[in-house]
Amino acid sequence: MKRFLVSLAVLFLSASLFAVPSSAQQVTEEDLAQRVTKAQFAFRDFERDPRMTWFRQNVRYAKGLLIMPVLVRGGFFFGGSGGRGVLLAQDAAGTWSYPAFYDVGSASFGLQFGAAGGQVILMIMTDRGLRRFLNDKFQLGADASISVGPEGIGAKAEIFDIFSFSRVKGIFAGLTIEGGVVVVNRADNQTYYGRTKISPRDILLRRKYKNPQADDLIRVLTKASR
């Protein structure tokens, strides 16, 4: 029975990740531009959310933000979540990088019914946490500590590498992606910047590549982090 349950978990994880198109599928620069624009709208939604006081007050201290405009979670006894996002890094001078593209997927056990979709932002608070995103793949909670982000004006939080903030509607009251796997989408990065052999370090730290299409998103983040 245990082996059967594990097999089912793998099956439902695979099904959940169909919400995240594989890198092998053709994604155009226009598709990626839309994702960046949706990330901008999602960030503004978080800014306007009255529960996100701590989020607004601490954007200025973040090393980076991974913004997932749509993260889908659905389940039938087994659940999973998957989404695609853009990561921007902030340097000591408060200057934001251009975006790098990532995929996130996770699975979970439990008696779960229905489906919920939401917006998720991972706020990276430490250099260690940001360095993990320079790898091709890593696991949240195992390779970098993660906690659900605090809410409210007087919220106090122990320092983790990453805080996860979500705005979710549906049967699931909240959304956590601890245990999720974060993967660099090299194909999307190459398409968006029109370059081959481009790395997250080149985009986020060395700041070697730009795409003016993301300027509006950068302006929004710069204003929020002042």
Side-chain angles (χ1 to χ4, degrees):
M1 176 61 72
K2 182 177 181 180
R3 184 175 301 175
F4 173 70
L5 292 176
V6 171
S7 298
L8 278 179
V10 173
L11 175 62
F12 278 93
L13 172 59
S14 300
S16 70
L17 292 182
F18 279 121
V20 186
S22 68
S23 298
Q25 290 180 309
Q26 185 65 36
V27 177
T28 67
E29 184 177 352
E30 182 179 355
D31 294 331
L32 299 174
Q34 291 178 0
R35 194 181 308 165
V36 171
T37 300
K38 289 178 181 178
Q40 176 186 332
F41 294 156
F43 181 83
R44 285 180 166 173
D45 288 341
F46 277 79
E47 279 194 301
R48 291 191 289 260
D49 193 320
R51 300 170 300 169
M52 297 295 171
T53 304
W54 194 94
F55 174 89
R56 290 190 295 272
Q57 291 177 343
N58 287 273
V59 169
R60 69 187 65 184
Y61 305 116
K63 303 294 182 180
L65 295 173
L66 177 63
I67 306 172
M68 288 179 279
V70 180
L71 190 144
V72 177
R73 181 177 181 179
F76 183 79
F77 291 100
F78 295 92
S81 58
R84 287 187 144 175
V86 296
L87 171 64
L88 297 89
Q90 181 176 210
D91 63 18
T95 303
W96 289 89
S97 71
Y98 281 83
F101 293 83
Y102 288 79
D103 298 343
V104 180
S106 67
S108 60
F109 292 89
L111 294 175
Q112 302 170 348
F113 295 89
Q119 302 164 319
V120 175
I121 294 182
L122 301 186
M123 181 180 286
I124 307 161
M125 301 302 296
T126 67
D127 290 326
R128 176 179 180 270
L130 183 60
R131 285 196 298 270
R132 294 300 185 190
F133 285 87
L134 304 180
N135 300 327
D136 285 341
K137 180 173 67 175
F138 75 96
Q139 185 176 13
L140 294 165
D143 299 318
S145 61
I146 184 170
S147 175
V148 175
E151 296 179 355
I153 297 176
K156 295 187 178 183
E158 180 182 350
I159 291 299
F160 288 81
D161 293 317
I162 301 168
F163 287 115
S164 173
F165 295 87
S166 62
R167 301 180 70 253
V168 182
K169 294 181 180 180
I171 292 177
F172 298 108
L175 184 61
T176 177
I177 56 175
E178 182 173 1
V181 176
V182 180
V183 181
V184 176
N185 194 317
R186 292 187 175 273
D188 286 356
N189 287 329
Q190 291 174 8
T191 299
Y192 190 70
Y193 293 102
R195 302 295 183 104
T196 59
K197 297 182 179 179
I198 183 172
S199 71
R201 190 180 296 273
D202 290 335
I203 302 168
L204 301 171
L205 300 186
R206 297 180 181 136
R207 312 279 173 104
K208 292 175 63 176
Y209 302 105
K210 297 180 179 181
N211 186 326
Q213 188 275 327
D215 285 348
D216 286 344
L217 172 58
I218 292 173
R219 279 193 286 269
V220 168
L221 296 185
T222 299
K223 182 178 179 181
S225 56
R226 287 176 179 170

